[in-house]
Amino acid sequence: MTFDTIAQLVVSGLTIGCVYSLIGLGFALTLKATDLINFAHSEMVMLGAFFGLMLTAQLGVPFVGAVLISAVATGIVGVIIERFILGPIMVRKAPQLNLLIATLGLSIALQALAIIFWGREPIAYPDLFSSQPLVILGLRVQPLQLWIMGVSLVVMGALQWFFQRTVTGIAWRAASLDATTAALYGVGRRRNVALTFGLSAALGGAAGVLIAPLFFASFGLGHSLIIKAFAATALGGFGIVGTMVGGLALGVIETLTAGLISSDYKNIVTYALLIAILMLFFRPRLPKGRPASDAAKVSVSDISALIATPARKLALAGGLLAIWAGVGWFGDAYLLRIVNMSLIAALAALGLQVIVGLTGQFSFGQAGFYGIGAYTSALVTMKLGVPFWLALPLAGILAGCAALVVAPILRLSGHFLAMATLALGEIIVLLMLNLKVITNGAYGLYGIPLPSFGSYEVESEGAFFVLISAVVALVYAAVVRLLHSRFGRSLVAVRENELAAIACGIRADRQKVKAFVIGSGCAGLAGSLYAHYLAYISPESFSFLTSVQMVTMVVIGGLGSLPGAIIGAFGVTLLPEMLRVLADFRLVVYGGLIILFMLFLPGGLAEVGRRLTSALLAPRKTGGRP
């Protein structure tokens, strides 16, 4: 490869890097001011792209004017979101994971609205600039590239001036460093947070207008950029100037990787770089500790008082058995299929509950281990002739071993662990796509054999219902036994106060790894059932959105509640089916319901159980005077 070719790649990298910097700056601002990763930030990029499309294609607004107007419009949307959706949840001091889920619900709703207004098909921007390249210092540069770099650098320069030279910007910096002390000097937190969301959304909107002419305006535009923008932020140390430089560096690294190695692996390099940066520079130096007076970060339901007597336990068991038998006996094929998919999801959610609910680790990579289990079970049965009853535990074991290999990322915590596991899940999916000799790439594996036990083959929906129910019941019993063991109590101790747990002699790092391996193994078992149930799998089934669904199941069910994980899995799986009558608006309602759930029931359905328990067991008032 010649020097001129490398120079051309660098120019292309700087162009896309400017966009990464703008989106990453929005991340950095939100993190500094609110300690929140806003997954709905990707939809600000999408909205900016569509606003710019309408301004340029329908109203004939010049490109620079479209960038400015779109930035202002998305900035207003960001302030509205903070004031009426995320702000009230912050005021209620909900668990941090609940805020993340609320932003995901917001992301789902905004994407659905974009599909309603602009459709599912990507839309090309009009030809705004000449297609004839300019020759600068021997390099051929498109006019659009010059405009993207020029406008981006001007915006970044203006932002730096705002934070360094204006009273409002200096006040924002003070509040981001120490909100309590800044409040003593009259810096209002709510106003500061609203400013943050406004600026963050405006930067995302500007980035959307800049990047869309290179590609297309589409409802999924932001999601393709969001992780890379976070990588740019991490590369720059989550500072404003650092993020600007980090985005440019990441863009150059990405294009050089595509040109010198392969475009198939450029995203793998990007995500691996993100994990490496987080591991090198953002590991906590000391274990987490907190005052004993602080509220727990999770809500754990306790209905044991309602079934304290043998008679009540027997009645509950009989009722559940009757429901199970009724569904299996009277349910039609459609109902059984939905229930079977819910049970498979519940198995993966149980594993995630061990990781998130019991140990307090943020994990957005569960779908990756789910996929490892699915591909393992499918391949060993198809290629090696291994029977299903042996392939099932092998899938769980291999998924657990994969978790053990990547367990060093558990040295991270909070948001950094969430993004590292998200990147890890994306790497697994990309490997599934690119290792075509093994996985058949994007085409997936089809013709996966049905489960069989001797001469009996499981093929009907009812037979699958019995098989999947049996596996879920066994895993649930094992996890319950684990929870009530010394090991389970040590996991809860680590979740509640890692520093205090270490002081009591608990090896917190080892307990985290064990929980991660067990939870990932459960996901592997669920993946095996999924593969043999559908008889077809592809990498698309194990994407980031699947991980998001699993986390949503755990949070809606109630962090730390094992029954809640199962109920949450049924709720998240069944709700979109129930909303199908709303046609295109069903995902808008679905996302809105997730937000309302996080606002009014931050403890999930486990909180409902706890309130019900308190109401039923509360002493009844008697008439007359005491």
Side-chain angles (χ1 to χ4, degrees):
M1 183 172 291
T2 64
F3 175 79
D4 290 342
T5 303
I6 294 176
Q8 291 289 159
L9 290 174
V10 170
V11 172
S12 299
L14 291 174
T15 303
I16 193 69
C18 286
V19 177
Y20 292 160
S21 294
L22 288 179
I23 303 173
L25 281 169
F27 262 132
L29 294 178
T30 308
L31 266 174
K32 280 183 170 292
T34 64
D35 198 32
L36 169 68
I37 291 178
N38 179 15
F39 283 110
H41 188 54
S42 60
E43 273 52 60
M44 299 302 103
V45 179
M46 173 201 71
L47 287 177
F50 280 119
F51 289 160
L53 178 66
M54 291 190 300
L55 291 168
T56 55
Q58 299 177 16
L59 301 179
V61 177
F63 185 64
V64 175
V67 172
L68 294 176
I69 296 172
S70 299
V72 172
T74 51
I76 293 172
V77 173
V79 173
I80 293 173
I81 288 172
E82 188 280 327
R83 285 293 178 182
F84 298 102
I85 299 176
L86 298 180
I89 300 177
M90 293 180 189
V91 170
R92 293 169 182 260
K93 297 181 179 181
Q96 201 174 54
L97 193 57
N98 290 52
L99 275 169
L100 292 179
I101 296 300
T103 64
L104 290 169
L106 182 61
S107 173
I108 293 170
L110 288 175
Q111 274 201 37
L113 286 172
I115 291 172
I116 292 170
F117 283 108
W118 293 292
R120 292 182 176 274
E121 296 300 320
I123 305 174
Y125 261 59
D127 293 329
L128 302 173
F129 306 99
S130 172
S131 59
Q132 288 296 114
L134 303 175
V135 179
I136 302 175
L137 299 177
L139 298 176
R140 298 168 65 85
V141 183
Q142 294 291 339
L144 177 59
Q145 290 179 304
L146 292 177
W147 276 100
I148 291 174
M149 288 188 282
V151 173
S152 299
L153 293 175
V154 169
V155 171
M156 288 187 277
L159 189 69
Q160 178 67 3
W161 175 85
F162 171 77
F163 284 115
Q164 295 292 335
R165 300 295 182 183
T166 66
V167 175
T168 304
I170 294 171
W172 183 93
R173 290 166 53 208
S176 67
L177 293 172
D178 190 337
T180 303
T181 303
L184 296 176
Y185 287 88
V187 179
R189 174 170 172 77
R190 286 301 303 275
R191 180 183 175 186
N192 200 60
V193 172
L195 172 65
T196 300
F197 275 87
L199 284 175
S200 175
L203 290 168
V209 183
L210 292 173
I211 194 66
L214 285 177
F215 302 104
F216 298 95
S218 69
F219 70 93
L221 176 65
H223 274 279
S224 63
L225 302 170
I226 201 75
I227 305 178
K228 296 177 183 178
F230 188 88
T233 310
L235 190 62
F238 295 91
I240 295 174
V241 176
T243 300
M244 297 177 188
V245 177
L248 297 174
L250 184 65
V252 172
I253 292 170
E254 183 179 275
T255 54
L256 287 177
T257 301
L260 299 176
I261 303 175
S262 171
S263 59
D264 292 338
Y265 292 95
K266 67 175 184 178
N267 287 336
I268 293 179
V269 172
T270 301
Y271 299 142
L273 180 63
L274 169 60
I275 295 174
I277 293 169
L278 293 175
M279 290 293 296
L280 288 173
F281 301 107
F282 297 100
R283 286 188 299 169
R285 297 183 180 274
L286 293 173
K288 291 186 296 182
R290 61 190 178 92
S293 59
D294 283 2
K297 291 183 176 63
V298 298
S299 300
V300 182
S301 67
D302 184 9
I303 60 171
S304 58
L306 288 177
I307 56 173
T309 64
R312 290 178 178 177
K313 291 180 180 180
L314 186 61
L316 178 63
L320 292 175
L321 184 61
I323 294 173
W324 179 84
V327 171
W329 188 263
F330 298 106
D332 58 13
Y334 174 74
L335 175 61
L336 286 173
R337 190 167 187 83
I338 298 300
V339 171
N340 287 338
M341 292 300 295
S342 300
L343 285 170
I344 293 173
L347 183 54
L350 276 173
L352 191 59
Q353 189 71 278
V354 175
I355 300 171
V356 180
L358 299 185
T359 320
Q361 303 174 90
F362 286 4
S363 176
F364 281 88
Q366 188 78 339
F369 301 102
Y370 183 51
I372 289 174
Y375 272 92
T376 298
S377 191
L379 288 170
V380 297
T381 52
M382 294 174 66
K383 306 293 185 182
L384 303 179
V386 175
F388 169 78
W389 59 266
L390 184 57
L392 177 66
L394 278 176
I397 291 170
L398 191 59
C401 290
L404 185 61
V405 170
V406 300
I409 65 171
L410 300 179
R411 297 172 187 173
L412 298 169
S413 63
H415 296 127
F416 303 123
L417 178 59
M419 293 307 298
T421 53
L422 190 159
L424 177 64
E426 290 297 294
I427 289 174
I428 294 173
V429 172
L430 288 169
L431 290 174
M432 292 175 185
L433 279 168
N434 293 317
L435 297 177
K436 299 183 176 81
V437 176
I438 301 174
T439 64
N440 202 29
Y443 294 104
L445 299 175
Y446 50 87
I448 301 171
L450 295 171
S452 60
F453 300 89
S455 60
Y456 177 74
E457 189 174 70
V458 178
E459 55 182 351
S460 68
E461 295 291 344
F464 267 108
F465 173 69
V466 174
L467 172 63
I468 297 171
S469 298
V471 176
V472 172
L474 288 173
V475 173
Y476 180 83
V479 175
V480 169
R481 183 67 180 268
L482 178 74
L483 178 61
H484 291 92
S485 68
R486 183 176 180 180
F487 172 68
R489 291 191 292 272
S490 71
L491 294 182
V492 176
V494 171
R495 178 195 71 200
E496 292 299 310
N497 194 315
E498 186 175 334
L499 191 60
I502 293 173
C504 294
I506 296 174
R507 293 292 301 271
D509 52 350
R510 289 188 179 181
Q511 305 304 79
K512 288 181 180 180
V513 171
K514 291 176 183 178
F516 191 59
V517 170
I518 292 170
S520 301
C522 291
L525 294 174
S528 174
L529 292 172
Y530 176 83
H532 291 279
Y533 179 57
L534 295 184
Y536 170 77
I537 55 174
S538 68
E540 185 180 358
S541 303
F542 312 108
S543 66
F544 165 63
L545 294 178
T546 304
S547 289
V548 168
Q549 281 187 324
M550 292 176 180
V551 175
T552 306
M553 293 170 188
V554 170
V555 175
I556 286 181
L559 290 172
S561 170
L562 298 182
I566 296 177
I567 297 172
F570 272 85
V572 172
T573 306
L574 290 173
L575 188 58
E577 295 294 326
M578 296 168 61
L579 295 175
R580 283 191 181 276
V581 293
L582 299 177
D584 291 339
F585 287 92
R586 70 185 181 94
L587 290 180
V588 179
V589 176
Y590 177 60
L593 288 175
I594 290 176
I595 296 171
L596 291 174
F597 212 97
M598 296 301 101
L599 181 60
F600 296 107
L601 281 174
L605 294 172
E607 186 174 340
V608 177
R610 189 173 60 255
R611 292 177 182 177
L612 180 63
T613 302
S614 300
L616 293 176
L617 297 180
R620 298 183 179 180
K621 294 181 180 180
T622 57
R625 295 183 178 180

